[in-house]
Amino acid sequence: MAVRASLACFPSNPALHEACIIPWGVAVTPFSATDERGSKPATGAEGHLLPRCQSCFAYFSLLCPLDRWSWNCAVCGAENDLPADAAARYARDGGHDPPEMRSAFVDLLLPGEEGEGAAAAAAAPTPVYVAAIDLSSSEEFLELVKSALQAALEALSPGSLFGLLTFSSKIGLYDVQGPIPIVKNVFIPPDSDGALQVDLEDIMPLCSFLAPIDSCKDRITEALETIKPMSSWEVAANAHDGQDHVLHHVRGFGVALDVLINYLSSEYGNAFELARIFAFLNGPPNYGAGQLDISEDQNAGKARGADHVLLQEQTSFYKNLATSAVQAGVCVDLFAITNEYTDLTSLKVLSVESGGSLFLYSSTDESTLPQDIYKMLSRPYAFGCVMRLRTSSQFKIADSYGHFFPDPQYMHVQHINCCDSFATYSYDFEFEKDSQFSRKSRPPIIQIAFKYTVLVHNGDTSDFPNSGSRSKYLLERRLRVRTIQYNTTANIWDLYDFVDPDVVLTILVHQVILASLSDELETRLWLQDWLVVVIAQYNKAYKNVTSGGGTETYNIDVNFSHCSQLQPLSRFVFAILLSPLLQVSSEGIHPDYVTYLQCLLSALEPASLRQAIWPTLISYSSPDVEAEVHQSLSRTVLTSERPIFLLDAYKDLLVYYSPTASSEIPFPPPRDCLLRSTVDRLKQERNITPKLVFIHGAHDDTTEFEKYLVEDQNLDGSLSSSTSFSSFLDDIRSKVSEHSI
């Protein structure tokens, strides 16, 4: 569990926090194997014995004052009785201390917590995966999906169950457990409200639909090969009479997902603890319940009538479906492979709130779908997660951000159906009314509790035979608790020195995404004004230190020259202003791409988010000699004598050779050089598959590389007169001068 604070030293009072105006919060990666310093948690097997505060329900930790028969909660300070068995365990009589007495970061087994249904599942825990494939599609789309599912079958653990479903104007269920694959179809009524005329269980029992991968992998492959796109005569036969879109593809996605989730829910907690649905879409849902209106006339009016309308949900159908998915233990991963407007804004809630991921590929030719799905399924993940962050009494959570389902009853309790080691959640803090941290008060504390389930191998490392392999796995319900104490300061320069710019960026990006859904232009203005105030307050603080608050004039420092921790902020703001997040109404920016970007960025941990917003540029003297990491992203860097540059933009990796690079330097770089090793390492570490491009400035189109040279780009003229990063800072300087310093 990695926890990074935007202000590692907390402000002592609200006035100081208001003066520095830096977001105050944390970014939490709960399923990370280590903390942010690389330390692992103390582990144990008696999580059910961990005492809890009777007042705030926080957990006992190493930071709690402990007496022989009582303990004080580190979070709220309440005194709690210590049961006799706990008192004996904590007596420290020379025996082995329990994990919570050795570390404030623990990961504990919760034996027997699950109910009877979960216990039945634990006897033979079975991961369930279902592919839902759009047949209203092209041959190229289906070939890509088949390749992706072949990769998925290789990544899935032995003992998993796999189901195959297709949808168009009808739903197809595949039984691959016999000698040959069988498909049974049921038509979707055009006016369906989400229900079919017959239940899927009556068409095919779930036990026939879900096939063990161990014994049926070959027949699953055979079934995939039989899948063909919906023919044009089927499209015409099932379209509404008299409508002019008779040749459009019919895609009953909403109904298909609704009945599939209900189909799976009957065995939740019995046959499985988590089911993952891989939904592959080649265009917008346009048939039955959950259909979306993407007509040209309507969307043209939307785009011109209000900048933000294209990023508003059309229907609550998919939000309600997400609620059903969470309750049924179903996680939905949505893969859209299309350049057609699909209204991912209305669909994203299904994946975001169910703990899944959303992927967008504009074409089949350059799609990394097989690699992405293999990566996703190969890495460890937890499921059935519940997370709660508690704070000491002087401050509270103002906002929380991330891909979770908020508990309908308890505030700040988040349900996460599926969580991998990259998934990150952010919290913004504020002071309680009339509160502050004084010298006499207890130091600020946060405690994150993360309860989750994992599928673990049952101690047998031998190869799995086809029969009985599911018994090789067990479900473990675990509790991970981390309690952190922070220092406070009344000095604004201490705050500045302990700023983590990556976490500041993380919270800013979340705030920008949420605000832009209401008004893009206002969000752009707010972000620029925020930077103006930060720089004004910084200059005021510097003036107070150097001149004692005198009235002598001085040059406004927009580069934070005296505080290295603040120096990236101006670049971050400039890059956000230029990003598609705040360009949805601009020519050439696809609304679905903006939605995809929102989903991607809002789940990244801070270091990765920084790469995505402000790429890293590294120069090389040769393919085997790294020269320098450049802070600037400008063409001026390319005038150096370095012949090779590696630009890491998180989802893109670009290797650029200068036009003047010697012809003796091999292009592309050889496989056994340092540069290629670095590229391979970055690709391996990433949770998505970055696109790798080699560009030689002497004979290739350099547009794709130059678009990442952010400092040379123009801002929207309607916002300011800036024409580059340098002139943007000049514009900021003039605005700062209007403030009282």
Side-chain angles (χ1 to χ4, degrees), residues 47-102:
H48 61 299
L49 299 179
L50 188 65
R52 298 190 69 174
C53 176
Q54 296 177 357
S55 177
C56 71
F57 301 102
Y59 291 90
F60 176 84
S61 80
L62 185 62
L63 300 181
C64 295
L66 177 66
D67 292 326
R68 183 69 180 90
W69 298 107
S70 66
W71 62 281
N72 290 87
C73 177
V75 176
C76 73
E79 185 176 3
N80 296 270
D81 293 335
L82 196 64
D85 57 344
R89 289 196 304 130
Y90 298 155
R92 301 185 182 183
D93 55 359
H96 180 67
D97 284 337
E100 61 268 28
M101 295 297 291
R102 291 183 275 119

Side-chain angles (χ1 to χ4, degrees), residues 135 166 170-174 183-187 198 203-204:
L135 292 191
T166 58
K170 59 187 177 182
I171 295 172
L173 301 176
Y174 283 77
V183 59
K184 294 184 178 180
N185 295 294
V186 57
F187 283 93
V198 59
I203 299 170
M204 182 179 294

Side-chain angles (χ1 to χ4, degrees), residues 112-125 268-273 453 475 477:
E113 180 181 285
E114 300 85 351
E116 293 180 2
Y268 174 49
N270 184 20
F272 68 88
E273 284 296 292
T453 300
L475 288 179
R477 188 70 171 164

